[in-house]
């Protein structure tokens, strides 16, 4: 999917919500555990109930790898289900990969070609030649970690590095890479005021923003400081939506929770016109 | 496996060689492609031919993920084969993972418990709480990227960060984390003189050293500057060993190539006594 197509979806749905499909078997309704593929059944129900309220789905690969081959099958079925039934949805493999060039190319092939994701998250530590292989795929985005929403973000990301914080170095440096226009960035919502600084470096890029809700970030603040003229934000919520209820009404509860966020987004979008 | 057991294996085999099982179907002998699981058959032959010359095997997960579920099956069969037939071998999942705490815990479970690896490589960008979940597993090591062997290492890793290069910040900071004694570090062989500085920060830790051979690193130099009194080095070679021949003699050729390195290591070990 191109950036233009993503923006069109946001405008059409009046939503820039991304739903994190981080499925933990200990947290899903117990009756699903009796099905052949509980993870997929859970995702399918969530997707069917929420696709009109969100523009993107983001499975975090850790939650699938933790169940071995069975988990990979669930991931494969999930992305196939989305691509077949809701091709208008933007998909993100939250994999945080990164390796030396030829190896990164293998990861890119796995997520973009074999699984068919629109985008994949990557880690910046190994630099340009670890990220550029992802950027060479047409109409695919590479979403690089910049400033994450966890406490450990302050260990290195905010450390002063040649005159500026490391995450700013990462942002600035990456803008010179081949096909940099295909880059998006992960910026945690827990640090809303940082968005002003970030927008000075990457005014036009989309930012994937985890940390709204469960991790304490505030949607209004993120939008105030982070939104650009084509919205430029994908706000992710995982637990707050998918675990809204552990009963048989889990999908309806997820939809209700997603609707609350979508309505808040619609108001914000209306307010900026 | 504990560090002590690894050191005992090094002394017994007079080798600190790690063989990278980075299997690319376009590079293995064509006759293997007719078998049901070419990747596993290739690995099995390489392992049977080289286990007495090496102390560790390191599959890079990218090469398995690139083949989807089939690839994960090959990875699972490979680690099971090693653990069953050669339990004295140290195993490294070269996965370069790292995520927020509860998600990193899922990755740790996948690699340590489900697959049964002795260690896994992780990326440092997200800081302490992204790495500590890995460190909480007993008798397992977490191998953190410090200074990698690729060109992109100079993009961020060597940038001056609060008075020292970022990779030194990473090394220093990590020594204060819970169970830091379970940490090892990735340090590329292409920068042998850096080892002196690194040893000032982590004198006792094991270093996993890629980049000898194909990427141009020199074994003598790495040992001169990087070895400590319990050796403290695992030297990885992938392509130089596993693709030594593309003919039916590929396993024997791999063994010959591994033997050359092992003999050089034996000489180095003898020379330090």
């Amino acid at each position: 999917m191109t950036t233009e197509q993503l923006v069109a979806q946001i405008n059409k749905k009046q939503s820039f919500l991304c739903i994190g499909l981080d499925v933990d078997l200990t947290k899903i309704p117990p009756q699903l555990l009796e099905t052949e593929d509980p993870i997929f059944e859970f995702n399918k129900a969530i997707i069917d109930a929420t696709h009109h309220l969100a523009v993107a789905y983001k499975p975090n690969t850790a939650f699938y790898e933790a169940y071995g081959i069975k988990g990979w099958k669930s991931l494969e079925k999930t992305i196939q289900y989305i691509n077949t039934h809701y091709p208008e949805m933007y998909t993100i493999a939250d994999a945080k990969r990164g390796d030396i060039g030829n190896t990164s190319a293998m990861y890119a092939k796995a997520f973009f070609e074999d699984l068919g994701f629109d985008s994949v998250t990557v880690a910046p530590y190994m630099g340009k030649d670890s990220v550029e292989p992802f950027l060479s795929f047409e109409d695919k985005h590479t979403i690089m970690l910049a400033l994450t929403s966890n406490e450990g973000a302050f260990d290195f990301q905010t450390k002063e590095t040649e005159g500026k914080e490391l995450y700013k170095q990462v942002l600035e440096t990456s803008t010179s890479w081949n096909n940099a226009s295909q880059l998006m960035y992960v910026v945690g919502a827990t640090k809303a005021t940082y968005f002003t600084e970030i927008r000075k470096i990457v005014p036009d890029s989309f930012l994937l923003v985890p940390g709204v809700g469960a991790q304490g970030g505030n949607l209004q603040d993120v939008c105030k400081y982070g939104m650009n003229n084509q919205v430029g934000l994908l706000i992710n919520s995982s637990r707050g939506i998918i675990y809204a209820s552990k009963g048989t009404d889990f999908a309806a509860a997820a939809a209700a929770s997603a609707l609350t966020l979508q309505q808040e987004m619609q108001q914000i979008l209306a307010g900026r016109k």
Side-chain angles (χ1 to χ4, degrees), chain A:
Chain A
M1 191 183 287
T2 64
T3 307
E4 291 68 30
Q5 288 168 322
L6 174 60
V7 174
Q9 284 298 317
I10 291 172
N11 289 325
K12 185 178 166 195
K13 289 180 168 171
Q14 291 290 293
S15 169
F16 41 100
L17 177 62
C18 173
I19 298 180
L21 300 172
D22 302 347
V23 188
D24 182 337
L25 287 183
T26 65
K27 289 183 185 158
I28 70 174
Q31 71 272 17
L32 286 179
L33 299 178
E34 290 153 32
T35 62
E36 203 196 306
D37 187 342
I39 296 179
F40 173 67
E41 293 302 329
F42 179 79
N43 282 344
K44 184 173 170 300
I46 296 282
I47 292 161
D48 286 340
T50 59
H51 65 92
H52 56 297
L53 302 166
V55 290
Y57 288 112
K58 179 178 77 63
N60 186 308
T61 52
F63 288 80
Y64 300 83
E65 284 183 27
Y67 300 108
I69 287 161
K70 255 191 104 150
W72 269 88
K73 271 192 193 152
S74 305
L75 179 64
E76 200 174 277
K77 279 165 73 180
T78 300
I79 179 71
Q80 278 170 0
Y81 187 78
I82 299 169
N83 284 342
T84 305
H85 293 83
Y86 307 106
E88 76 281 9
M89 298 300 301
Y90 187 76
T91 54
I92 302 166
D94 195 1
K96 301 186 176 72
R97 298 296 195 263
D99 209 305
I100 58 170
N102 64 332
T103 311
S104 268
M106 301 295 272
Y107 279 129
K109 180 184 169 298
F111 290 107
F112 291 149
E113 289 188 349
D114 301 345
L115 289 168
F117 278 95
D118 290 313
S119 61
V120 60
T121 58
V122 302
Y125 193 71
M126 294 181 72
K128 173 175 167 164
D129 56 343
S130 73
V131 177
E132 280 192 343
F134 289 93
L135 291 169
S136 67
F137 285 76
E138 215 175 329
D139 296 343
K140 302 285 185 183
H141 293 106
T142 304
I143 309 178
M144 194 160 73
L145 299 180
L147 186 61
T148 57
S149 59
N150 63 320
E151 204 189 310
F154 300 105
D155 284 333
F156 309 118
Q157 296 167 27
T158 55
K159 287 268 187 291
E160 186 92 351
T161 305
E162 297 197 352
K164 53 179 76 80
E165 289 149 299
L166 176 60
Y167 77 92
K168 290 185 187 170
Q169 279 285 357
V170 165
L171 289 167
E172 274 191 22
T173 304
S174 70
T175 59
S176 70
W177 295 345
N178 284 326
N179 300 311
S181 63
Q182 302 293 98
L183 278 169
M184 297 183 175
Y185 302 94
V186 174
V187 179
T190 43
K191 304 166 184 78
T193 49
Y194 286 79
F195 281 85
T196 310
E197 295 295 301
I198 288 166
R199 278 302 180 205
K200 288 181 191 161
I201 308 170
V202 287
D204 301 322
S205 303
F206 258 83
L207 307 178
L208 171 64
V209 185
V212 166
Q215 292 173 62
N218 179 294
L219 178 61
Q220 301 287 342
D221 284 350
V222 169
C223 292
K224 183 175 167 189
Y225 301 109
M227 201 171 259
N228 66 17
N229 61 10
Q230 57 176 0
V231 183
L233 295 173
L234 288 171
I235 305 287
N236 184 74
S237 175
S238 302
R239 287 168 280 174
I241 292 176
I242 68 173
Y243 301 132
S245 161
K246 210 181 168 169
T248 49
D249 66 334
F250 71 98
S257 181
L259 179 63
T260 306
L261 275 168
Q262 184 273 324
Q263 286 176 333
E264 203 178 337
M265 289 174 178
Q266 187 160 10
Q267 273 194 336
I268 291 169
L269 291 174
R272 62 196 268 274
K273 273 168 194 161

